[in-house]
Amino acid sequence: MPSSTSNGKIVLVSGINGYIASTIGLDLLKKGYILRGTSRSAHSADALLKGAYKDYVDRVQMVSVPDMTIPGAFDEAVQDVTAVIHTASPIDFSLTSWDDFVPIAVAGAVGILLSAYKHAGPQLESFVLTSSVAAVIDPSKKPYEFTEADWNTYSGAKAKELGEAAPGGLIYQASKAEAERAMWAFRDEFKPSFSISAINPGVVVGPPVQPPPTPSSLNETLRPTWAVFSGVSPTIPPVIGSASYVDVRDVAAIHVWCAEHPIESNGQRYLMANGRGTPQAAADILRKAYPHRKGIPVGEPGSDYEEGYGWPKDGQSFDSAKAKKALGREFVLYDQSILDTAKVFERYL
């Protein structure tokens, strides 16, 4: 039963239409917060207000931020908030220019921080950045278990070396590392009274709270699951990055936890990756769960993932013990994420 009771605290979530952000927003609303979301257009969140957020519209505020790289873009949005959760960042792997990608991510992170520092007010307790394992991983280290102490210095150097030939995925990785480094540099320079923390998830999977009208608008990390489930791809799609997976519900939960625990989370990074979940694994899960569905590609069953969707013995892995300890539970397993996502995708069939 949705709660209409407000705790009177405002939490700002940037990029509210996003896959992760919209899930965070729903969690906050269920907890009684007033949700203030930013988007590029004033009406782009209408689907959320009529859909996932419809029972909480009296506690939803929307602010238009057409260009988050403009100085002061978030000055109005941050006023009177208790926490800021900054998820907005460019995720367009077709971009192959450093100047089109990295400065936007950095300017967005520093810009919203500066707005919070100057205009939020003394009640501001927490700033949480959605970073990525891309800010942590170094593809040259193998076998290796990454922790929050590790940093990706490879992607930025390689992207600069390749110049215009750099692939979009490499520039995206560099952008996440550069944006997070800029946040920590801000903390060191300005020493704000509010806490600052970063969330570093792997490939985020799991059911969206507000599915787009058509599957063509699904975000990058959900498209492989749809391609497999729908049969639009006759072959198994390629893996994304290292294929380290984490459920969107776990990612949302740790953002909210950091916002609510400023003392414990201050200065901390939280790695979130639960194992290796590949499109081949998704196909195997879905063929078993939907035996009468035609077109789910077969590929090479069981070929590129471990039993239980764990880490390969001689490959790369991520230690997510800190985030699990904070949440007080294990993460959602890959098969559950895929099945819950497929349930949402049934509307498209």
Side-chain angles (χ1 to χ4, degrees):
M1 184 75 181
S3 171
S4 60
T5 303
S6 171
N7 62 20
K9 296 180 178 180
I10 306 171
V11 178
L12 175 68
V13 180
S14 68
I16 194 62
N17 293 322
Y19 172 42
I20 296 173
S22 57
T23 308
I24 294 170
L26 186 58
D27 282 1
L28 290 166
L29 290 168
K30 288 178 177 178
K31 281 174 161 278
Y33 289 96
I34 299 167
L35 173 64
R36 183 177 296 165
T38 72
S39 60
R40 292 180 181 176
S41 155
H43 298 291
S44 59
D46 286 352
L48 276 171
L49 294 173
K50 295 174 182 177
Y53 297 173
K54 68 181 186 301
D55 293 320
Y56 308 97
V57 290
D58 59 324
R59 287 193 279 109
V60 179
Q61 304 172 356
M62 292 296 175
V63 179
S64 176
V65 180
D67 185 351
M68 68 180 184
T69 66
I70 296 174
F74 291 96
D75 285 0
E76 177 187 349
V78 299
Q79 291 177 19
D80 303 317
V81 302
T82 298
V84 175
I85 299 177
H86 182 50
T87 76
S89 183
I91 306 180
D92 183 351
F93 295 147
S94 67
L95 294 175
T96 55
S97 165
W98 179 279
D99 290 339
D100 285 342
F101 213 138
V102 179
I104 294 174
V106 172
V110 173
I112 193 170
L113 262 173
L114 195 58
S115 290
Y117 182 74
K118 290 182 175 181
H119 301 288
Q123 80 294 326
L124 178 60
E125 297 178 350
S126 311
F127 180 95
V128 186
L129 174 73
T130 308
S131 186
S132 169
V133 296
V136 175
I137 193 170
D138 181 338
S140 69
K141 293 181 177 180
K142 190 184 294 186
Y144 189 83
E145 182 180 57
F146 293 95
T147 72
E148 285 86 356
D150 290 297
W151 278 93
N152 177 2
T153 57
Y154 170 86
S155 296
K158 190 66 176 177
K160 289 177 180 178
E161 175 189 327
L162 293 174
E164 294 183 1
L170 186 70
I171 298 175
Y172 166 73
Q173 292 169 2
S175 78
K176 299 305 285 189
E178 293 293 327
E180 191 186 336
R181 284 188 181 278
M183 180 191 75
W184 294 121
F186 181 98
R187 179 176 181 264
D188 292 342
E189 179 179 353
F190 291 91
K191 298 176 173 55
S193 59
F194 52 88
S195 75
I196 292 181
S197 56
I199 313 301
N200 301 84
V203 178
V204 183
V205 294
V209 298
Q210 187 62 47
T214 65
S216 62
S217 299
L218 289 167
N219 82 309
E220 294 280 353
T221 63
L222 288 178
R223 288 176 190 171
T225 303
W226 168 248
V228 166
F229 184 52
S230 64
V232 297
S233 175
T235 59
I236 302 295
V239 300
I240 297 176
S242 64
S244 59
Y245 81 91
V246 64
D247 190 276
V248 67
R249 292 163 290 192
D250 292 324
V251 176
I254 197 67
H255 280 81
V256 175
W257 185 90
C258 287
E260 293 184 320
H261 296 81
I263 295 174
E264 296 92 332
S265 65
N266 192 21
Q268 301 298 312
R269 307 171 87 195
Y270 293 88
L271 261 179
M272 300 198 75
N274 204 31
R276 194 166 189 272
T278 66
Q280 177 68 65
D284 294 348
I285 292 164
L286 291 169
R287 282 198 319 276
K288 182 178 179 181
Y290 293 84
H292 302 298
R293 268 206 60 71
K294 306 295 184 183
I296 297 177
V298 175
E300 299 179 17
S303 62
D304 68 350
Y305 62 93
E306 303 295 318
E307 184 177 355
Y309 318 104
W311 300 110
K313 294 179 178 62
D314 298 320
Q316 295 179 330
S317 62
F318 297 89
D319 181 0
S320 298
K322 185 196 290 188
K324 291 177 181 179
K325 182 179 179 181
L327 294 180
R329 58 174 170 80
E330 292 295 315
F331 294 160
V332 178
L333 289 176
Y334 189 65
D335 52 357
Q336 192 63 58
S337 290
I338 294 300
L339 291 174
D340 291 347
T341 303
K343 194 69 178 174
V344 174
F345 286 174
E346 287 177 6
R347 72 189 60 202
Y348 298 136
L349 297 176

